Amino acid sequence: MEYGVSQNKLAVAAGISRQYLSDIENGKAVPSEDVKDSISEALERYNPDLPLTMLFDYVRIRFPTTDVKHVIENILKLKFDFMVHENFGFYSYTEHYRMGDIFILVSQESEKGVLLELKGQGCRQYECFLLAQHRSWYDFFMDVLCENGVFKRLDLAINDMTGILDIPMLTEKCKNEECISVFRSFKAYRSGELVKGSEENKAGMGNTLYIGSLKSEVYFCIYEKDYEQYVKYDIPVEETPIKNRFEIRLKNERAYHAVKDLLTDYDAEKTAFAIINRYIRFVDKDNAKDRRDWKTNDRWAWFIGENRRRLKLTTKPEPFSFYRTLNWLSRQVAPTLKAAIKLDEVNDTTYIKDMLRHAKLTDRLKKLLKQQTVSVDEMIIKE
């Protein structure tokens, strides 16, 4: 049997009888296209090269200090001289330092302190530095707690490579009261629909399901990652390895308790699914039984751990690249620049050459060049 999965497990995962599967394998039965799709999908669940993966996708931490250099050098363990300084901030902070998508916001007000923000790309970039420092996220979080850092937000993302999370189906189950949950609300958005509110990247998302209030300290967001990548980066849906993403979004006390749990057992799967199972369970309606006794939906049971491999926290280090800026130049600036160069040729002028010759690099651009021309090892502080 492909991927070493037993006939019985495959039949259960595909929603057919073991005898029918045996008849198909022996040529005694001809499956319909729907059954073929079910078997193919079930096989992919056991594909060792296409598991569920889990990673941190958002980290926001406030440090009770105004000493930004201490945070950068002693906690992040990055060399301060490589940081780009900007005289503006956000979240009511007055200025910030950055290295790629790693943001450190600064305020002279002691109650605000120093704020570290790592969104998705920031997490991936910081993993490059953690790898070079021979540290893990667990090591970093322990250092944060030792410095009395306050976790403001922590997102754990579970990437579904096989399409097990059928978001339209889960949405229908929410509507049909087949989601047993302590949450009182859910919101679903169809492909391309504008998500209202303060959600980042709010336009151009695929089918998206929010379970719980976005204002609460814990809620879930399930969305079609492949569609999001198509809209944002024009990557064809079939070329995106991640089909769906389940994000556990935690704030303040909930984020702190999750970190404490992570540092107690060093088992991200246990922490993540303990949270999920505490708040939601998708079931199949059975009018003959009390709602709390309805059977857990098979797809959901597999997602939360039944008959699948264990999950480990993974990393996907991606160094900050200047290519995003080059892509922007290619789309927004290059056509105009090409026209100006042609005008110079036609009019026998040298406006563009003169502009480039007299252009002066700002300190920010000098720092950016410095970041892009040295190795990761040169930017970190080693123990």
Side-chain angles (χ1 to χ4, degrees):
M1 186 66 68
E2 193 173 357
Y3 303 142
V5 59
S6 70
Q7 193 178 65
N8 188 52
K9 283 185 178 180
L10 181 59
V12 170
I16 59 178
S17 71
R18 182 177 177 180
Q19 183 59 52
Y20 183 36
L21 179 61
S22 180
D23 289 345
I24 291 171
E25 290 181 333
N26 294 326
K28 295 178 181 179
V30 179
S32 66
E33 289 301 316
D34 286 344
V35 170
K36 286 180 182 177
D37 289 343
S38 295
I39 293 173
S40 177
E41 183 181 277
L43 274 171
E44 284 306 299
R45 299 185 198 177
Y46 293 97
N47 185 344
D49 297 323
L50 288 174
L52 293 171
T53 61
M54 181 165 42
L55 41 73
F56 291 113
D57 201 55
Y58 200 123
V59 176
R60 187 190 294 165
I61 304 166
R62 182 176 62 80
F63 296 95
T65 178
T66 56
D67 187 350
V68 65
K69 188 173 183 181
H70 169 72
V71 172
I72 291 170
E73 293 193 336
N74 298 325
I75 304 174
L76 294 175
K77 300 189 186 300
L78 301 176
K79 290 180 180 177
F80 186 76
D81 288 343
F82 282 96
M83 305 301 295
V84 173
H85 177 252
E86 301 279 13
N87 281 314
F88 64 91
F90 36 97
Y91 307 135
S92 77
Y93 285 81
T94 55
E95 55 185 313
H96 73 270
Y97 292 82
R98 66 179 297 186
M99 186 181 290
D101 293 286
I102 299 169
F103 286 83
I104 303 97
L105 295 120
V106 185
S107 172
Q108 296 308 310
E109 300 177 39
S110 57
E111 63 270 18
K112 285 191 174 73
V114 173
L115 186 73
L116 167 70
E117 180 168 71
L118 306 173
K119 295 184 180 179
Q121 284 298 113
C123 288
R124 305 290 74 79
Q125 291 164 21
Y126 190 55
E127 284 172 349
C128 289
F129 296 117
L130 286 175
L131 183 65
Q133 295 163 357
H134 304 291
R135 288 200 297 170
S136 66
W137 280 109
Y138 298 116
D139 297 325
F140 172 64
F141 289 159
M142 184 64 77
D143 290 342
V144 168
L145 291 180
C146 289
E147 292 281 346
N148 297 316
V150 179
F151 284 85
K152 303 301 293 180
R153 178 168 165 181
L154 182 73
D155 288 8
L156 263 169
I158 301 168
N159 292 324
D160 168 21
M161 310 295 194
T162 66
I164 187 64
L165 291 169
D166 186 332
I167 298 171
M169 182 199 77
L170 295 178
T171 300
E172 282 303 307
K173 284 192 169 292
C174 286
K175 293 178 180 177
N176 295 333
E177 298 185 340
E178 292 177 280
C179 176
I180 297 175
S181 173
V182 298
F183 292 125
R184 296 181 178 180
S185 65
F186 75 91
K187 291 182 181 179
Y189 300 93
R190 293 187 301 276
S191 300
E193 188 173 354
L194 182 67
V195 178
K196 297 178 181 179
S198 60
E199 177 64 21
E200 296 93 350
N201 303 320
K202 43 191 179 181
M205 299 177 79
N207 287 300
T208 303
L209 175 63
Y210 290 94
I211 303 177
S213 169
L214 274 63
K215 295 180 180 179
S216 68
E217 290 195 350
V218 54
Y219 68 93
F220 304 137
C221 176
I222 316 170
Y223 62 96
E224 293 174 344
K225 184 69 174 177
D226 53 0
Y227 183 85
E228 180 210 45
Q229 295 295 292
Y230 169 70
V231 170
K232 289 173 68 175
Y233 305 115
D234 202 28
I235 300 172
V237 168
E238 63 275 10
E239 293 181 14
T240 302
I242 303 169
K243 301 305 177 187
N244 304 302
R245 172 171 280 184
F246 188 111
E247 291 183 357
I248 304 168
R249 300 183 177 180
L250 307 165
K251 301 174 186 175
N252 303 321
E253 284 296 314
R254 299 292 183 180
Y256 167 75
H257 287 299
V259 170
K260 291 286 284 185
D261 195 61
L262 285 165
L263 295 178
T264 298
D265 296 312
Y266 286 72
D267 187 338
E269 181 186 42
K270 179 181 175 183
T271 298
F273 285 94
I275 295 169
I276 293 172
N277 291 328
R278 162 73 177 83
Y279 285 96
I280 57 171
R281 181 169 71 95
F282 286 95
V283 297
D284 295 328
K285 184 176 289 188
D286 184 348
N287 291 327
K289 296 181 179 179
D290 188 83
R291 184 167 177 265
R292 62 186 176 184
D293 295 325
W294 288 353
K295 180 179 176 290
T296 301
N297 175 263
D298 287 340
R299 275 176 172 261
W300 186 252
W302 184 88
F303 173 71
I304 61 175
E306 186 177 298
N307 295 321
R308 68 155 169 78
R309 297 170 183 268
R310 282 186 55 77
L311 287 182
K312 291 184 178 180
L313 185 67
T314 58
T315 58
K316 191 182 176 184
E318 293 178 9
F320 171 67
S321 172
F322 197 61
Y323 288 119
R324 274 194 297 177
T325 303
L326 292 177
N327 287 337
W328 174 79
L329 286 171
S330 175
R331 293 193 309 270
Q332 304 293 331
V333 178
T336 303
L337 181 62
K338 186 173 183 178
I341 291 172
K342 284 189 175 295
L343 278 174
D344 266 346
E345 292 172 355
V346 170
N347 298 327
D348 195 25
T349 54
T350 58
Y351 287 121
I352 299 303
K353 287 183 179 178
D354 292 341
M355 272 191 262
L356 291 174
R357 186 171 62 252
H358 292 107
K360 292 184 178 180
L361 292 178
T362 63
D363 289 340
R364 174 182 174 277
L365 288 173
K366 289 177 182 177
K367 281 282 181 74
L368 186 59
L369 281 173
K370 193 176 180 182
Q371 291 176 1
Q372 292 292 296
T373 53
V374 300
S375 68
V376 169
D377 277 348
E378 291 176 89
M379 290 189 282
I380 64 171
I381 294 175
K382 297 181 179 180
E383 291 293 335

